[in-house]
């Protein structure tokens, strides 16, 4: 079933011939073919399947401290250089400087052992369908390094091989990958996960900015035709510097010159309202742009003193309405790229910490489900899985639910086929009922309308919902509904006319999702 053939000409990436001859932007950079050889091969790009990975609701987890190290997560590799030291290394740059000639061997041992195939098997078994994979820009290796990383460029010559291995494990278990550039040249914030220690240099250094754009180009060429790569996140937790919006615009242009369809994720710089509006404006011109915001409840002094009932009240009464507004400004393209069960000690003092954090994380999951297209727990593992920052520890302690797939849709293919068949049998009845309600309301308002566009949108929306539900081993529902509806609507009105009534097509598409989800959930609860 060529579900998305109508969009291919509008959103297709550069053709294979063009890609084979593309070079990275600077003359001293490796040929893209060399980088692809290091990364390794993947199944041929499947446009239709890629749409499911990219547009479905994402139930995810971060794989932190594999390709962008943090000492509190991967403690063993830091230990020889921290114990008894007055100035222990914090960032990965500090660490490789301490390692000296041993750096290549030790880093490759870390990449070899930190995540295994079994991790992805376990993720898939509980319903995780996407991972956010933080990387430092230096994984591109020699030709893309700078500062301390240039001095130790050979350390990263084989990094893409290990990255490719992780991508293939995810591919095997039908887990999407959001490639998150967690550190950019010069550093984007004051935290060690930016790759350097000290004041960030990126915002005032044009050389850092140009190298960052070159990295975006190279990574886009590497992953835009990998079916299960759901997007490229271009900066993690940036500062809201005055130059950031302009740089985002340049970055988006750079990526779109290579790929018209690879989703681009941006960080909200802790100014969610501002960048939600920016996202909404950008996606009109540049296609799928997604805003990433992070939500934690352990760092602010006031929240550190509040108990779970009060935190839950704030979540539902204050935070959720805010996120609803931001999601609307971003036209439905908002994700929670990092969140956690972890609370400060005073929030659960005298009570069972697992129960308290389990209660609160379920509140978060329920609230975020209503206001975002996806969520990603921070993080999959710690060196010693003994606290709730570790998803695996939280899972073992019953803090996160054993089925992380938070809606009652059957995984069994035969049952899904039956539900899909029944939905198809109900198509005309559902469409006519929704169309009658739509036309009656708007006819009463006066004016001119194109109700045929609503009907066309409903039909496409239902077909898309069924396709997402049945295409992969794990059922999927559309998460970026407004984005997908808009793309189909633009193509439809370009062919059939009625641009001023495009909203009717989008409305019909969205109502089909509501109809299908209600029907499917009801059937699967029986």
């Amino acid at each position: 079933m060529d579900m998305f053939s109508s969009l291919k000409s509008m959103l297709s990436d550069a053709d294979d011939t063009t890609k084979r001859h593309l070079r990275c932007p600077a003359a001293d950079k490796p040929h893209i073919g060399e980088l692809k050889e290091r990364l390794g091969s993947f199944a041929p790009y499947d446009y239709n399947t890629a749409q499911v990975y990219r547009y479905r609701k994402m139930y995810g987890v971060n794989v932190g401290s594999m390709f962008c190290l943090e000492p509190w997560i991967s403690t063993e590799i830091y230990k020889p250089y921290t114990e008894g030291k007055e100035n222990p290394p914090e960032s990965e740059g500090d660490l490789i400087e301490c390692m000296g000639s041993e750096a290549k061997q030790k880093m490759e041992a870390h990449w070899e052992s930190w995540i295994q195939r079994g991790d992805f098997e376990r993720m898939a078994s509980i319903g995780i369908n996407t991972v956010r994979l933080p990387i430092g820009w230096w994984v591109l290796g020699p030709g893309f390094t700078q500062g301390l990383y240039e001095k130790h460029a050979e350390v990263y010559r084989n990094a893409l091989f290990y990255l490719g291995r992780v991508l293939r494990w995810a591919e095997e278990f039908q887990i999407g990958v959001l490639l998150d550039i967690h550190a950019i040249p010069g550093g984007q914030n004051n935290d060690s996960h930016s790759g350097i220690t000290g004041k960030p240099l990126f915002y005032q250094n044009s050389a850092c900015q140009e190298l960052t754009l070159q990295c975006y180009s190279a990574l886009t060429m590497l992953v835009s035709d990998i079916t299960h790569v759901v997007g490229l996140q271009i900066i993690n937790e940036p500062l809201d510097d005055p130059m950031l919006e302009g740089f985002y615009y340049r970055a988006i242009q750079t990526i779109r010159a290579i790929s018209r369809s690879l989703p681009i994720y941006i960080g909200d710089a802790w100014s969610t309202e501002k960048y939600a509006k920016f996202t909404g404006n950008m996606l009109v011109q540049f296609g799928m742009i997604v805003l990433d915001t992070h939500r934690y409840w352990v760092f602010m002094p006031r929240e550190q003193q509040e108990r779970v009932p009060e935190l839950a009240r704030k979540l539902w009464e204050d935070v959720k309405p805010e996120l609803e507004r931001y999601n609307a400004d971003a036209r439905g393209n908002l994700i929670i790229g990092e969140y956690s069960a972890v609370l400060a000690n005073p929030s659960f003092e005298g009570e069972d910490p697992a129960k308290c954090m389990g209660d609160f994380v379920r509140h978060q999951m329920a609230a975020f489900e209503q206001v975002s297209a996806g969520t990603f727990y921070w993080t999959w593992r710690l060196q010693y899985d003994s606290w709730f920052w570790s998803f695996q520890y939280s899972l073992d302690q019953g803090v996160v639910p054993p089925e992380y797939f938070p809606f009652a849709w059957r995984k069994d293919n035969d049952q899904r086929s039956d539900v899909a068949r029944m939905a198809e049998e109900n198509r005309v009845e559902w469409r006519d009922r929704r169309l009658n309600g739509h036309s009656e309301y708007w006819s009463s308002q006066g004016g001119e309308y194109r109700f045929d566009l609503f009907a066309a949108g409903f039909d496409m929306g239902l077909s898309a919902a069924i396709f997402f539900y049945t295409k992969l081993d794990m059922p999927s529902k559309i998460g970026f509904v407004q984005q997908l509806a808009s793309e189909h609507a633009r193509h439809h009105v370009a062919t059939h006319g009625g641009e001023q009534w495009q909203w009717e097509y989008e409305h019909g598409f969205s109502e089909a999702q509501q109809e299908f989800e209600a029907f499917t959930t009801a059937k699967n609860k029986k």
Side-chain angles (χ1 to χ4, degrees):
M1 179 182 183
D2 200 1
M3 179 71 228
F4 295 95
S5 59
S6 64
L7 296 179
K8 285 183 181 178
S9 60
M10 186 171 71
L11 294 172
S12 61
D13 288 332
D15 61 68
D16 290 339
T17 303
T18 302
K19 284 186 176 181
R20 279 199 300 270
H21 292 89
L22 279 170
R23 291 184 62 87
C24 300
D28 61 340
K29 301 291 185 285
H31 193 284
I32 190 63
E34 180 184 340
L35 297 178
K36 285 201 168 190
E37 186 176 344
R38 292 184 205 165
L39 189 67
S41 60
F42 298 87
Y45 181 71
D46 184 317
Y47 185 91
N48 291 334
T49 306
Q51 305 316 296
V52 179
Y53 281 111
R54 292 175 178 183
Y55 292 86
R56 70 182 172 182
K57 193 90 166 186
M58 297 175 184
Y59 300 101
V61 66
N62 287 270
V63 181
S65 207
M66 181 169 187
F67 296 110
C68 186
L69 299 188
E70 299 185 54
W72 68 278
I73 299 176
S74 47
T75 53
E76 278 297 311
I77 196 169
Y78 278 86
K79 187 179 291 185
Y81 314 101
T82 57
E83 292 181 340
K85 301 295 192 297
E86 186 175 342
N87 295 302
E90 297 180 18
S91 70
E92 186 164 327
D94 298 336
L95 179 63
I96 57 172
E97 180 73 357
C98 291
M99 288 176 171
S101 62
E102 297 180 307
K104 189 171 189 293
Q105 176 187 352
K106 289 192 172 185
M107 289 302 295
E108 290 187 2
H110 173 75
W111 301 329
E112 177 72 37
S113 61
W114 188 249
I115 293 291
Q116 300 298 316
R117 177 183 178 277
D119 291 290
F120 288 92
E121 184 175 23
R122 189 180 192 196
M123 291 177 196
S125 73
I126 64 170
I128 287 174
N129 66 16
T130 314
V131 297
R132 181 172 178 260
L133 182 60
I135 62 171
W137 92 90
W138 49 78
V139 299
L140 288 167
F144 290 93
T145 48
Q146 175 230 51
L148 282 176
Y149 295 95
E150 186 170 7
K151 177 180 175 183
H152 299 281
E154 283 300 315
V155 171
Y156 297 98
R157 181 168 294 279
N158 297 324
L160 284 177
F161 166 80
Y162 292 97
L163 175 60
R165 189 173 70 158
V166 169
L167 290 176
R168 279 183 288 280
W169 285 332
E171 178 184 48
E172 179 182 353
F173 292 101
Q174 298 185 346
I175 292 175
V177 178
L178 171 57
L179 207 60
D180 158 42
I181 307 175
H182 216 64
I184 58 175
Q188 74 275 16
N189 58 40
N190 297 302
D191 295 315
S192 60
H193 65 237
S194 70
I196 65 168
T197 300
K199 182 180 178 181
L201 307 175
F202 168 78
Y203 301 100
Q204 282 73 46
N205 189 306
S206 60
C208 290
Q209 295 161 22
E210 291 305 315
L211 179 56
T212 301
L213 294 174
Q214 291 167 17
C215 292
Y216 295 161
S217 293
L219 286 165
T220 301
M221 285 185 267
L222 280 174
V223 304
S224 61
D225 58 359
I226 298 176
T227 300
H228 68 295
V229 170
V230 304
L232 186 66
Q233 182 161 349
I234 55 180
I235 308 182
N236 172 68
E237 296 185 352
L239 303 179
D240 189 15
D241 190 272
M243 61 80 67
L244 183 62
E245 284 188 86
F247 181 79
Y248 272 162
Y249 189 82
R250 290 178 64 198
I252 292 166
Q253 286 182 311
T254 298
I255 293 168
R256 284 288 171 261
I258 299 166
S259 170
R260 297 173 65 190
S261 64
L262 180 69
I264 302 169
Y265 287 65
I266 64 172
D268 69 353
W270 310 109
S271 300
T272 317
E273 181 177 12
K274 174 180 177 180
Y275 288 97
K277 292 175 180 176
F278 176 86
T279 299
N281 292 332
M282 287 296 100
L283 62 86
V284 173
Q285 181 179 356
F286 291 109
M288 191 169 178
I289 311 297
V290 181
L291 183 66
D292 171 26
T293 188
H294 298 169
R295 297 286 155 163
Y296 291 114
W297 301 80
V298 67
F299 298 121
M300 302 299 291
R302 180 175 176 182
E303 290 167 354
Q304 290 173 350
Q305 304 303 317
E306 292 173 334
R307 310 292 285 197
V308 168
E310 176 60 15
L311 292 173
R313 185 199 65 76
K314 289 178 65 175
L315 169 66
W316 287 102
E317 295 181 9
D318 300 333
V319 175
K320 178 179 174 284
E322 280 184 355
L323 290 174
E324 283 178 326
R325 293 195 298 273
Y326 302 152
N327 189 45
D329 287 341
R331 305 192 179 201
N333 287 10
L334 177 75
I335 66 159
I336 314 297
E338 295 182 18
Y339 80 105
S340 172
V342 175
L343 300 175
N345 289 353
S347 295
F348 57 82
E349 189 175 4
E351 299 183 63
D352 178 3
K355 183 183 185 307
C356 288
M357 294 190 210
D359 289 345
F360 188 63
V361 82
R362 283 167 171 78
H363 277 292
Q364 291 184 83
M365 291 172 64
F368 296 158
E369 171 77 7
Q370 298 178 28
V371 296
S372 73
T375 56
F376 296 83
Y377 194 98
W378 185 272
T379 179
W380 175 246
R381 63 163 297 195
L382 304 182
Q383 186 83 63
Y384 303 106
D385 282 327
S386 58
W387 197 242
F388 301 102
W389 289 108
S390 164
F391 184 94
Q392 291 188 90
Y393 180 77
S394 298
L395 184 64
D396 294 339
Q397 298 296 313
V399 170
V400 296
E403 285 202 356
Y404 200 58
F405 202 54
F407 52 99
W409 288 16
R410 300 294 185 197
K411 301 176 185 178
D412 180 86
N413 284 329
D414 291 336
Q415 290 174 307
R416 280 193 283 150
S417 296
D418 288 342
V419 170
R421 175 184 51 77
M422 288 186 282
E424 194 60 65
E425 290 170 354
N426 283 294
R427 176 187 291 271
V428 174
E429 178 189 338
W430 291 349
R431 182 190 63 216
D432 289 351
R433 173 165 44 79
R434 294 274 182 163
L435 176 59
N436 288 339
H438 174 83
S439 58
E440 286 177 11
Y441 174 80
W442 288 105
S443 294
S444 71
Q445 304 302 303
E448 207 175 331
Y449 300 97
R450 282 282 304 273
F451 299 139
D452 61 302
L453 291 179
F454 178 94
F458 187 95
D459 276 337
M460 178 55 73
L462 183 58
S463 295
I466 294 171
F467 184 77
F468 274 62
Y469 183 62
T470 57
K471 177 63 176 175
L472 299 176
D473 292 342
M474 176 71 72
S476 302
K477 63 178 176 180
I478 301 173
F480 296 96
V481 176
Q482 192 170 345
Q483 177 73 44
L484 192 58
S486 177
E487 290 175 7
H488 278 287
R490 286 200 303 273
H491 184 272
H492 187 88
V493 300
T495 306
H496 299 91
E499 183 177 358
Q500 64 267 47
W501 296 286
Q502 179 177 316
W503 64 271
E504 290 198 70
Y505 186 106
E506 294 174 5
H507 193 181
F509 191 103
S510 297
E511 289 207 10
Q513 310 309 307
Q514 298 167 18
E515 193 76 52
F516 182 76
E517 183 170 348
F519 174 78
T520 304
T521 301
K523 285 293 179 184
N524 285 321
K525 282 182 176 178
K526 291 182 179 179

